[in-house]
Amino acid sequence: MDQIKEGDLKKALATLSLFYNAPELTNTQRTDLMDLLDALAREVVFSQRHLMDFAFVVAAGDTWEQISRQYDVPAEILARIKGLDPSQQPSPGSSLKVVPGPFRAEVDLARNELTVFVGDFYAGRYPCTFGQEPVPEPGVYQVQKKALDRNYYGLQGASIPASDPENPYGGFWIDLGNSPCIHGSSKSESSPSQLGCISLSPLDANDVFGMLVVGSQVTIRR
């Protein structure tokens, strides 16, 4: 709280991020912690204020792709923070908020929660549900590939086209290798589906799909 009062929000976020998985916290302490983490992440990571690093001044010829490679963070995220479409290249001389990456994720099977970090900083959390095809197992994984509007192929041979509202991927699919995956949710279901693996709401799936890239680490824990 002293760091927050002094305006050092980046340091406060770094300090509190260390306690995200602290087992000794009471329920009340954890609630207070998460409220602070969520507020700090919105300001430090995703606002246009230059709190993560110095402002990046765009030079002639710079593209989102070049800048994203330099900072190991998806171009889509940098563009979204700036309020631009990724297809619209940044203007020379403009300043950009940069977020040194990479992003990674942790999936907590007990809390039904997927949490995103950028480097050592907490960056946000998303409620998720778990299917049976396959059942997500604890371990450390890496994103192998990503796809939009992917057909669903079940373990029992069932196939659901991407255009079908019953497709449990809901338009977003992130492959973790050896069967587990993170994905959206069916556009027609009113309750969690047993199909698929780690399911997010459509809006949350869009966010996570934009942050995780091929090679991003995903840890699944109980």
Side-chain angles (χ1 to χ4, degrees):
M1 293 305 297
D2 288 341
Q3 292 165 353
I4 292 172
K5 291 175 184 176
E6 292 167 2
D8 197 343
L9 303 187
K10 177 182 176 181
K11 189 172 183 179
L13 179 59
T15 300
L16 291 177
S17 294
L18 296 173
F19 293 92
Y20 175 75
N21 285 314
E24 67 271 20
L25 296 181
T26 65
N27 288 338
T28 299
Q29 288 172 329
R30 178 165 178 80
T31 297
D32 291 342
L33 171 72
M34 297 314 302
D35 287 345
L36 280 171
L37 281 174
D38 288 334
L40 286 167
R42 283 193 298 270
E43 192 66 20
V44 175
V45 181
F46 296 110
S47 79
Q48 293 193 19
R49 295 177 64 189
H50 302 290
L51 298 176
M52 292 289 286
D53 207 334
F54 295 107
F56 180 90
V57 179
V58 181
D62 281 343
T63 66
W64 288 124
E65 289 70 25
Q66 292 168 333
I67 300 168
S68 71
R69 285 197 297 270
Q70 180 175 340
Y71 288 95
D72 201 11
V73 67
E76 179 181 342
I77 296 298
L78 297 178
R80 188 185 303 176
I81 290 173
K82 184 64 176 175
L84 298 174
D85 188 280
S87 63
Q88 179 185 357
Q89 294 298 336
S91 303
S94 63
S95 62
L96 298 179
K97 160 78 169 283
V98 291
V99 180
F103 282 89
R104 59 183 175 84
E106 294 184 6
V107 177
D108 193 307
L109 300 175
R111 293 184 190 139
N112 287 73
E113 193 169 78
L114 183 150
T115 305
V116 178
F117 296 83
V118 56
D120 293 327
F121 294 89
Y122 170 92
R125 54 184 171 143
Y126 303 90
C128 56
T129 58
F130 308 114
Q132 302 291 316
E133 293 200 356
V135 175
E137 294 292 339
V140 179
Y141 302 83
Q142 277 192 326
V143 173
Q144 303 298 311
K145 51 189 172 182
K146 300 166 47 177
L148 296 171
D149 300 322
R150 185 179 190 273
N151 294 342
Y152 173 78
Y153 300 101
L155 298 180
Q156 307 302 319
S159 175
I160 304 176
S163 59
D164 191 324
E166 298 291 337
N167 185 302
Y169 293 154
F172 300 95
W173 178 74
I174 303 173
D175 176 30
L176 303 183
N178 299 320
S179 294
C181 60
I182 300 169
H183 52 83
S185 52
S186 166
K187 298 173 183 177
S188 66
E189 67 183 357
S190 57
S191 59
S193 171
Q194 295 300 300
L195 301 180
C197 188
I198 301 167
S199 178
L200 299 165
S201 74
L203 286 176
D204 292 347
N206 181 53
D207 281 351
V208 173
F209 190 88
M211 286 184 275
L212 299 183
V213 298
V214 172
S216 290
Q217 179 179 294
V218 177
T219 301
I220 301 176
R221 59 166 51 94
R222 293 197 187 281

